[in-house]
Amino acid sequence: MAKKITMSDIAAAAGVSQSTVSLVLNGSTSVKIAQATKRKVLDSAESLGYNNKKVAHALGLPKKIAIVINGLSSYDPFIDAINAAREEAWSNDYILATFNYGHDEVMASKIESEINGGDYAGLIYASSMTRELSQQRVNTSLPTILLNCTNESNSDTPSILPADMIGAYKAVSHLTKQGYRRIAILSGENWMLASQQRSEGYRQALIDADILPNDDYCREANWSLKEAHQQTLDLFQLAQPPQAIFCCSDFMAMGCYQAIAELGLKIPQDVAVVGYDNQQIASESFPALTSVDLPYSDMGKLAVESLLAQMEDQPLLSHRRKVEGELIVRSSSSQ
């Protein structure tokens, strides 16, 4: 086991008293100490590997926040959350160190050791997929915020989530207010929290418009363009096909678009389509796709703000914050 470095060790290496070491490392201004002596103490502490955040800050090294994520694809809109968190951290003089362990247990253990042994002030534990965690893989005693996930076994850890139910409600209410009655949904995999929340918002919007939800119009397309394409074709085999389709992602909406084109139908004249995520493809598709903005940038910024408040022992407004996304209305749903 490595010997713990003490102030006495630093004093011996720097050739000064232990009292001088204590004053320098604690940033005391009560006694005037020569800059050369301060530098000698700090250099000795650093070379000996003395683990003290005040040393790093006295040396002018950046303060660090860690963000740990369990997997990220080559292009994932959740990158917006990470970029916003990085900018917000830097605006508060912190560097955001990003770790992606990709479900590799050995790597996760190494990351955990790095965070607990390094000069980190706090942790943002993130998931690119909105979900409830059975456990948090990387653990620390540092202040922690959960981003796009919650922890079933530890509800005390604050979390930042998208208000998916409200987002879906906005999308479907937009359709009902225009007089559409037969509205279908193409959802993701049913076990996922995002799918559950968006499906719940869909059903509630129908109920509030005095429309009885019809299971024939509820199709699980598993976030797949191919499956969304097939489910759309199947919907139009019904005796009363839908007048509008709510797709729980813009990616699935593209599969829906393809199927509608194959059927010789036009959007929105024959059927209206609304997506979710508001990715770039939504504004560039033809016709332009109405979509709900997934507020990842706002969530990333709020995660850093909440972590900084926690680090300063400030009370949080809520332990589970939900961020609403705006409905962006385009020509795919306008009559």
Side-chain angles (χ1 to χ4, degrees), residues 59-77:
L59 285 166
L61 299 177
K63 300 173 288 183
K64 293 186 289 185
I65 291 171
I67 183 168
V68 175
I69 190 166
N70 64 330
L72 204 60
S73 59
S74 56
Y75 178 74
D76 188 318

Side-chain angles (χ1 to χ4, degrees), residues 238-314:
L238 295 172
Q240 288 190 310
Q243 300 166 317
I245 301 175
F246 168 51
C247 303
C248 287
S249 78
D250 293 346
F251 189 63
M252 288 193 294
M254 293 303 100
C256 180
Y257 266 42
Q258 290 178 5
I260 291 169
E262 285 179 23
L263 292 166
L265 301 175
K266 293 185 179 297
I267 302 170
Q269 292 89 335
D270 298 312
V271 58
V273 179
V274 174
Y276 204 106
D277 297 339
N278 196 35
Q279 296 188 43
Q280 186 173 342
I281 196 173
S283 60
E284 295 182 352
S285 59
F286 184 80
L289 177 66
T290 295
S291 187
V292 179
D293 187 50
L294 195 52
Y296 280 149
S297 293
D298 291 341
M299 289 166 60
K301 183 175 184 292
L302 183 58
V304 173
E305 291 175 351
S306 299
L307 183 62
L308 293 175
Q310 192 179 25
M311 286 157 47
E312 295 170 4
D313 294 324
Q314 296 178 6

Side-chain angles (χ1 to χ4, degrees), residues 8-9 14 16 18 26 50 77 85-86 98 105 174 184 209 231 234 236 248 258 274 279 285 297 306 314 329 334:
S8 295
D9 297 323
V16 299
Q18 187 172 331
N26 286 291
Y50 184 67
R86 171 181 53 78
T98 305
E105 292 298 313
H174 162 68
Q231 291 293 350
D234 291 348
F236 280 91
C248 287
Q258 290 178 5
V274 174
Q279 296 188 43
S285 59
S297 293
S306 299
Q314 296 178 6
V329 178
S334 301

Side-chain angles (χ1 to χ4, degrees), residues 10 33-34 66 73 105 113 176 180 209 226 246 284 287 307 316 325-326 330 332:
I10 298 169
I33 299 174
S73 59
E105 292 298 313
S113 298
T176 62
Y180 293 111
K226 181 178 179 181
F246 168 51
E284 295 182 352
L307 183 62
L316 299 178
E326 182 183 356
R330 301 188 178 98
S332 71

Side-chain angles (χ1 to χ4, degrees), residues 153-164:
S153 60
N154 184 8
S155 58
D156 291 335
T157 305
S159 60
I160 311 294
L161 296 162
D164 275 332

